[in-house]
Amino acid sequence: MSRKKESPLYRYWGYLLLAGAVVLLFARDVGPLAVSGAFALCFVWMLLAAPTWCGAKNRGERYCRNNSSGLLGGCRQVRQHQWQRFKSLTRLDTLSTAARGWFTGAPQQIATCALAVSAIGVVAGLLK
């Protein structure tokens, strides 16, 4: 593995961008397009690239704790987990099944809260 990918700055740049986007929200000289764009980029990063656990439901009542990329992706070791995460979002039975596993551990809780902040920030940026 390269040193670049091991760097915490490389792995967590979306959180830094989120903090910068919040600061941009209160800046007077920045337009709404730049603020909304920064929050939208954070939103996409949380869904697709934030370092989290898999969170797919295993046999029994446990959740998978393998490493995953983003809230939508499952772990790379078990292909069934990737399908389980994708199907839970496309079925839209209930909100609880769609977001199952998003609150199973600290990485998911932080990424989910940051996802909510970035979604609200996109709207706030457009209303700026």
Side-chain angles (χ1 to χ4, degrees):
M1 188 178 273
S2 70
R3 294 186 63 93
K4 181 180 178 183
K5 290 190 177 184
E6 292 175 5
S7 166
L9 183 64
Y10 179 78
R11 290 186 66 205
Y12 299 106
W13 66 268
Y15 293 119
L16 293 174
L17 181 62
L18 181 62
V22 169
V23 170
L24 285 177
L25 184 63
F26 297 109
R28 293 179 187 239
D29 300 349
V30 181
L33 186 62
V35 174
S36 297
F39 277 115
L41 185 60
C42 291
F43 186 83
V44 171
W45 182 81
M46 296 297 166
L47 288 177
L48 301 176
T52 61
W53 292 333
C54 175
K57 193 169 185 179
N58 287 332
R59 293 182 183 134
E61 295 299 319
R62 295 188 188 166
Y63 292 97
C64 179
R65 292 181 59 144
N66 291 333
N67 291 331
S68 172
S69 293
L71 291 169
L72 291 182
C75 60
R76 301 286 181 231
Q77 289 85 8
V78 184
R79 184 174 295 265
Q80 179 64 29
H81 290 181
Q82 293 174 351
W83 279 110
Q84 180 182 356
R85 297 295 296 265
F86 179 73
K87 284 192 290 186
S88 71
L89 288 173
T90 56
R91 268 191 250 140
L92 297 177
D93 293 336
T94 62
L95 185 60
S96 64
T97 59
R100 180 177 42 196
W102 284 20
F103 296 100
T104 57
Q108 283 87 351
Q109 292 171 356
I110 293 169
T112 303
C113 292
L115 181 76
V117 167
S118 61
I120 293 168
V122 169
V123 175
L126 289 175
L127 296 177
K128 181 178 178 182

